[in-house]
Amino acid sequence: MDKPRLFIELKQEQHLELLKRMYQIRFFEEAAGRYYRKGMVKGGIHASIGQEAVAVGICAHLRTNDLITSTHRGHGHHIAKGADLNKLMAEILGKEEGYCKGRGGSMHVAAFDIGSLGAFPVVAAGVPSAVGAGLSIRLHKDDRIAVSFFGDGALGQGTIYECMNIAAIWKLPVVFVCENNRFAVSTDCSTSIAIEDFAKMAESHGLKAYQVDGQDLEKVHYTMFRAVDYLKAEEQPVFIQADTFRFEGHYFGEPEVNRDKDQIRQMRESQDPIERFVFWLQDRYEDDIIERIDQVKQSAFDEIESACGFAENGSDPAPETYAEYIYA
Amino acid sequence: MPENGSRKLTYMLAIREALQEEMRADPHVLIMGEDLARHGGGFGVTKELWEEFGSDRVRNTPISENSFVGAALGAAMTGSRPVVELMFMDFAMVAMDQICNEAAKVRYMYGGQAQAPLVIRCPQGGLSWKSAAAQHSQSLEAWFVHIPGLKVVFPSNAYDAKGLLKSAIRDNNPVVFIEHKALYGIEDLVPAEEYLVPFGKGKVVRPGNDVTVIASGYMVHFAQEAASRLEEKGIEVEILDPRTLKPLDEELFYQSIKKTHRAVIVQEANKNAGLGMDWCARIQENCFDWLDAPISVLAGEDVPIPYASSIENQIYVSTSDIVRAVKEVCYG
Amino acid sequence: MIYEIFMPKLTHDMQTGILVAWVKKENDLVKKGDVLFEVETDKAISEVEAEDEGYLRGISVEDGQEVKVGEVIAYLTSDETEPLPAGSGSQPTDEAPEQPEAVAGEPVMKKEDPSPDSVSPESVSPDSLERIFISPIARRMAEESQIDIHKVPGSGPRGRIIERDITAVLAARAATKPGKLANTVAYQDRRMSRANQVMAARMVESVQTIPQFVVEMAVRLDEVLRYKAIWQEQHQKKLSLTAILIRAVSQVLGGFPLLNASVIEPETIRVYEDINIGIAFQTAESLLVPVVHNAPARSMFEIMTIMDQFRMVASERGFQPEDLALGTFTISNLGMYGVERFTALINPPQTAILAVGSSHDQLVRTDKGFGFCSAIALRLSTDHRVITGVYASQFLTALRELLENPKTLILQEVDQR
């Protein structure tokens, strides 16, 4: 797909497309939250409300056959990568029509047809798979890249450092994206991770590192643009620290004992990535953009509504099929 | 047993030949692990492979078991067919999340979207490889048999080792391929022509009518020794080697025991929650009405494996133990 | 547009919440983000905000009421007067959660009561409470071959019956084909009753101490039968052949004292002056021999009466010791059982016993050539220590003559009346 890769050079439709993606994520997560509150979803839902810009900005540079690994907070990554909203919502509700035929649920969504190797809820467990994907790409000698999303909490896991090490010495085309929302469940990362400067840490592991304000879509988009260029030119893995903010609890219903309610309110008001992008668009384009924005918003809303309808009408996996899909 | 074109090959060389043949046949097959290249792996199994296939496909990894097994998984999900070597089965514990939480389950959790054609080679066991002590001598097959989504094989001889490894590499599922270190130097007839040993099929190593002895890995050899001794006493022992631990050839067990009415299970691993007890329960479920004596399970002692030979020798099942157990179930 | 307001799931484990207080009232216009009501869960009191805009209507839950998660408690309508859904009130959504899968207090799957089959009847011996230990294969083999495991000795530990024990039984069975000796035979033991033991002892003594020989004679019954018929007519009473024999024997015995005696070793013959004739009676368990004392002095009528009494008593097993004592001669009649002739064993310390068979037709020479007559076989067993063949024969001859000419019997009867 040939399109300008620099954010500033994108056309209006392309900007609106990115906005739509962000709205899709927002409305999807809100719908999932409603299902949760209605008791229609068992298990936990980890919403990425507030982190839309990171997923959308990063995935904007990925083709269908580029690969990502995701986490328990993975709906946004999948939507940004181009997942089918119907199948994604159906999976949240545990239906046979879902991406994983109801066997994975919210925490284990995957969409191999659009390049997602899956959500790995064991913290940092997906990163090695991204490295392995990079290895396959290297062996296959093509120009794909692999992106691994993880949070600040994952920096407590040794495997992160091992993976950076392996990617660096084998020169694998892997982008390590740390969505730093500063909290791992209830733990402020300043109390559990001694590293103050993640980017510097990554560089000392042999990666080229960037740090970016994750609430600013333009900046995220631009950072990823530079990172991918660097990776391809230098054959060196890269690390992006995206500072962001999670508006909901770790999961819907989390008591949030360590998060300041006022601060959350303030963040929602001043740091909403969608709102900031809307301002950016209004700034950049003529007044009639407002109408288009509304249309995009409505369109995203409708698509999510439709996905909800699809999912709610789905069927539970037949009881006798419990043992299918164990072995290939 | 194979006939023409066979030559004597050690267990180790048989494994190497399997790797070589599969790497030649399929460019997606690669091997990775510590010191695999010029050094030839922890025990020399992969010698000469780096010279033939180069650094791309014979990859030395840093000492990051969990991560490089996970990387192998990622590669397997994206078109490669990696064969990982863990230097000792004991180190598999470092990689348990990637083996048991991730590799075993990706296919199921993702509703069939993924497949992970991954082989993890694990040299295990004490005995002849004496004095490696507690963290380099364990037998942990039960851990992996317990996890849904994995397949586990454990050849006892060179012929089965080559055939099973080739099958493992061609299988599209994660396979834990267990090698016994003490067997590396033991020779057997191995055909030169291509052959495979299928998963899920055990073997009657020695036919007999009086008692069924089920053994795996190195214990098969002890069982054979015991059987010779017992033959002189007029007891005909039938020895079964399951070869694949998961999926298990249960029918082979039942057929034999319905004939002999007696079973002795022999394993090197610690008795507690080991496979012997699992097999014992299955036999009891399916052959209760054919049993003339309680099923005997011989296994290692519940002790971390010591360094000094005088006490290490105490821990494992010996040929005499097998002879005694057989006599007991024969009431003789 | 109508939006449902429902009790939200605020925490992971929440099943119900208490609606502490409505902050907005019925018909209030509500904006997104306004606090609608407060909910108390076991964690805390939370504010629930409106997610949409509209007029709050159809409140169906009061302050302080406990509501299930997912239950609809009110609506937001964009129009003040828009009709609410029919039956709006508390309408739990379809997906209102039931109890989660594992609730404390939910009955655990009861283990099935062991079926009657699981207690094998064989393992509970009717005779003893002791368990039989037996290996499964041995049990099955025993069942298939109908071997009673109570009778098989177990050679395994704890006396466990094992395969080779059953194999041994089967081999033994196979070995008991004709011509070969059996290793074991199936059997059942019974205790001998007292009476049985007495009989056994007597018979052993009889055979061991008395050298017995037998003489036999056939007696024609025509006259006896005619006599019997007349007598029965006259006396209106049934008369048995045995009674006639008693009468007859008692008459004849007087002339043959050695047959009414006892041998007392080493050299004494005790000849009895009384003639007490015992009659062998079958009871359920043994042979008893009640005695007609002083038989020669008794009329036929008396004898028959005594016989009747004996018969009654025999069936009730109530002979008194005096009934059974002091016999000097015994008659045993198996004729009513169809036995034609037999040899009885002498009842020690007597020296003789008369065995009577059934009447049968015998071919005889008549004036006209041949004919049939009724006859019985009389066999006399006697003690050869004191009695010779001639003596015995003479006795039988005398007895026969009397029976074939019962006039003398009758004459005697007349005498005695």
Side-chain angles (χ1 to χ4, degrees), chain C residues 11 29 54 89 109 148 168 188 215 227 283 304 334 343 356 367 387:
Chain C
T11 65
L29 178 58
M109 270 282 289
D148 183 354
Q188 247 188 9
V215 291
Y227 166 84
T283 64
M304 194 56 218
L334 291 180
T343 302
V356 182
D367 313 327
I387 292 152

Side-chain angles (χ1 to χ4, degrees), chain C residues 6-161:
Chain C
F6 53 88
M7 175 61 71
K9 184 166 171 169
L10 295 172
T11 65
H12 214 56
D13 314 312
M14 181 179 167
Q15 304 286 316
T16 63
I18 298 176
L19 191 138
V20 175
W22 282 100
V23 174
K24 293 288 181 191
K25 303 280 175 289
E26 182 91 15
N27 292 317
D28 278 354
L29 178 58
V30 157
K31 284 199 301 293
K32 178 171 171 169
D34 285 350
V35 175
L36 287 173
F37 56 89
E38 286 175 346
V39 174
E40 185 184 327
T41 64
D42 50 12
K43 307 263 192 220
I45 297 189
S46 308
E47 292 174 339
V48 175
E49 297 172 356
E51 298 189 15
D52 307 285
E53 252 176 45
Y55 291 91
L56 178 62
R57 296 169 59 218
I59 294 178
S60 58
V61 158
E62 287 172 353
D63 290 2
Q65 199 170 327
E66 188 168 358
V67 182
K68 270 212 284 222
V69 164
E71 204 173 295
V72 174
I73 56 179
Y75 297 87
L76 286 182
T77 61
S78 41
D79 196 273
E80 269 184 276
T81 58
E82 204 171 329
L84 295 174
S88 59
S90 37
Q91 277 173 354
T93 65
D94 293 345
E95 305 288 321
E98 300 302 320
Q99 275 145 7
E101 276 79 25
V103 175
E106 197 177 282
V108 166
M109 270 282 289
K110 285 217 163 50
K111 226 171 62 130
E112 280 176 21
D113 288 334
S115 72
D117 293 342
S118 69
V119 177
S120 164
E122 284 172 14
S123 66
V124 179
S125 158
D127 291 328
S128 71
L129 292 169
E130 246 186 57
R131 272 194 63 180
I132 295 182
F133 292 105
I134 179 168
S135 82
I137 188 77
R139 179 192 297 281
R140 206 150 59 84
M141 287 166 69
E143 255 174 54
E144 283 165 8
S145 303
Q146 275 137 19
I147 294 172
D148 183 354
I149 59 175
H150 296 94
K151 303 207 179 124
V152 180
S155 63
R158 277 194 290 274
R160 184 189 302 155
I161 300 171

Side-chain angles (χ1 to χ4, degrees), chain B residues 244-259:
Chain B
T244 306
L245 301 181
K246 181 172 191 168
L248 185 68
D249 190 355
E250 293 177 46
E251 271 314 308
L252 183 70
F253 292 4
Y254 307 148
Q255 260 173 40
S256 173
I257 290 162
K258 286 180 181 177
K259 177 178 69 169

Side-chain angles (χ1 to χ4, degrees), chain B residues 221-236:
Chain B
H221 299 260
F222 282 71
Q224 286 174 305
E225 223 176 81
S228 304
R229 279 203 228 165
L230 287 158
E231 191 178 23
E232 293 161 24
K233 300 192 203 300
I235 297 179
E236 293 300 327

